[in-house]
């Protein structure tokens, strides 16, 4: 918690030094649901009513980066799956989008694809590490999820992953943004295809960045929460 809270506080200073701080997560299984009939509009004394029957057009997974320093969503990815290769490719595309950045900080949860062999090999390559990484499940850095996570969290690397504590993924700021996406677009949307779903999400991101983006005011300081 202290690591992530400190990173959030330092994000504007790090940005001025050429370091990017991104809060990253996936929204998987997003359904392209088309309402079978139009909803009924508001009338005096009556709320808007929605059609309860729908047509399924498949699902998509979105991988989202929330820039902690600027409040913008950058380099989103989408596709049918959420695999080790998908996430590594998303990180690769994100880093390639800003070659001038000196260093990258990614805040992520403890999902296994965030601690994968593919990710370790990519970070080692970007950090000019030529040492033997070992064998997955047997030896070295690649031996276990714990050893891979420790390597990926090494602050000396060009790309550093900061993991939220277990059962504390709410500390990842992108979760706040994903709730905005759900409320403002997905919850009441009607999508005739996966392509339309993707187009509307990307259009919302562009609109959000242009009109609403600003850094979240993070007030949590690591104290124990009380019900």
């Amino acid at each position: 918690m202290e690591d992530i809270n400190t990173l959030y506080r330092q994000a504007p200073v790090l940005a001025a030094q050429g370091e990017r701080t991104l809060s990253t997560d996936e929204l998987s299984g997003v359904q392209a649901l088309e309402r079978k009939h139009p909803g009924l509009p508001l009338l005096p004394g009556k709320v808007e009513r929605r059609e309860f029957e729908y047509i399924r057009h498949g699902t998509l997974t979105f991988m989202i980066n929330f820039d902690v320093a600027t409040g913008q969503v950058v380099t989103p990815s989408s596709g049918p799956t959420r695999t080790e290769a998908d996430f590594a490719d998303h990180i690769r595309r994100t880093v390639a989008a800003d070659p001038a950045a000196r260093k990258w900080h990614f805040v992520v949860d403890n999902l296994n694809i965030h601690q994968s062999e593919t990710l370790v090999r990519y970070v080692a390559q970007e950090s000019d590490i030529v040492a033997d990484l070992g064998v997955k499940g047997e030896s070295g850095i690649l031996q276990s999820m714990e050893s891979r996570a420790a390597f990926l969290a090494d602050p000396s690397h060009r790309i550093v992953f900061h993991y939220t504590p277990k059962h504390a993924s709410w500390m990842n700021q992108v979760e706040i943004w994903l709730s905005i996406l759900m409320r403002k677009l997905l919850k009441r949307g009607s999508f005739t295809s996966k392509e339309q779903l993707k187009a509307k999400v990307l259009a919302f991101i562009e609109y959000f960045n242009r009109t609403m983006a600003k850094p979240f005011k993070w007030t949590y300081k690591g104290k124990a929460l009380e019900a």
Side-chain angles (χ1 to χ4, degrees), residues 1-15 17 19-21 68-69 105 107 155 162-163 165 171 173 218-223:
M1 285 184 173
E2 181 180 355
D3 173 51
I4 292 174
N5 284 331
T6 300
L7 181 65
Y8 287 160
R9 288 194 301 269
Q10 293 179 344
V13 175
L14 294 174
Q17 298 172 353
E19 299 188 20
R20 302 290 299 275
T21 303
V68 175
H105 301 271
V107 178
H162 302 258
Y163 295 97
M171 290 194 69
Q173 287 192 5
W218 190 255
T219 59
Y220 181 62
K221 298 181 180 180
K223 295 181 179 179

Side-chain angles (χ1 to χ4, degrees), residues 3 11 15 29-30 43 49 54 74 105 135 152 168 173 178 183 210-211 213:
D3 173 51
V30 181
L43 291 173
R49 285 164 289 176
Y54 51 81
V74 297
H105 301 271
V135 178
L152 293 168
Q173 287 192 5
L178 291 175
R183 294 194 309 271
R210 181 165 41 86
T211 65

Side-chain angles (χ1 to χ4, degrees), residues 18 38-39 127-128 137 168 201-202:
S127 302
D128 297 323
V201 169
L202 294 179

Side-chain angles (χ1 to χ4, degrees), residues 24-225:
T24 302
D25 201 10
E26 307 85 22
L27 188 63
S28 60
V30 181
Q31 299 187 76
L33 297 180
E34 178 186 3
R35 299 294 165 180
K36 198 169 184 178
H37 303 288
L40 298 178
L42 286 167
L43 291 173
K46 292 186 178 180
V47 299
E48 179 187 22
R49 285 164 289 176
R50 299 173 64 202
E51 170 62 36
F52 67 90
E53 289 191 79
Y54 51 81
I55 303 168
R56 297 178 185 270
H57 295 290
T59 63
L60 284 177
T61 290
F62 293 92
M63 296 185 180
I64 302 295
N65 302 312
F66 178 80
D67 191 311
V68 175
T70 68
Q72 292 190 325
V73 173
V74 297
T75 326
S77 301
S78 63
T81 57
R82 181 186 65 174
T83 66
E84 171 180 328
D86 293 330
F87 184 73
D89 184 60
H90 171 73
I91 297 298
R92 192 177 292 110
R93 286 182 56 251
T94 301
V95 172
D98 186 5
R102 293 177 52 249
K103 194 166 186 172
W104 293 85
H105 301 271
F106 289 94
V107 178
V108 294
D109 60 29
N110 293 275
L111 189 66
N112 59 347
I113 64 172
H114 301 160
Q115 306 169 51
S116 69
E117 176 182 2
T118 306
L119 208 54
V120 166
R121 293 192 181 280
Y122 170 65
V123 170
Q125 176 186 338
E126 285 293 311
S127 302
D128 297 323
I129 296 172
V130 295
D132 181 17
L133 300 174
V135 178
K136 184 178 179 180
E138 295 183 12
S139 63
I141 292 168
L142 294 175
Q143 181 175 13
S144 65
M145 284 182 59
E146 290 76 13
S147 60
R148 295 192 295 272
F151 174 84
L152 293 168
D154 188 327
S156 67
H157 297 163
R158 180 172 180 247
I159 301 171
V160 184
F161 287 83
H162 302 258
Y163 295 97
T164 60
K166 291 184 179 179
H167 310 298
S169 59
W170 52 267
M171 290 194 69
N172 203 343
Q173 287 192 5
V174 73
E175 298 288 351
I176 303 173
W177 190 87
L178 291 175
S179 72
I180 295 172
L181 177 68
M182 287 294 297
R183 294 194 309 271
K184 292 189 175 292
L185 177 68
L186 299 178
K187 185 177 180 180
R188 303 183 68 80
S190 180
F191 311 99
T192 58
S193 65
K194 291 187 289 186
E195 292 72 24
Q196 188 189 53
L197 170 62
K198 177 180 177 180
K200 286 192 174 184
V201 169
L202 294 179
F204 177 79
I205 290 173
E206 190 278 330
Y207 173 77
F208 177 88
N209 286 343
R210 181 165 41 86
T211 65
M212 293 186 283
K214 62 180 180 180
F216 292 142
K217 185 177 180 181
W218 190 255
T219 59
Y220 181 62
K221 298 181 180 180
K223 295 181 179 179
L225 298 179

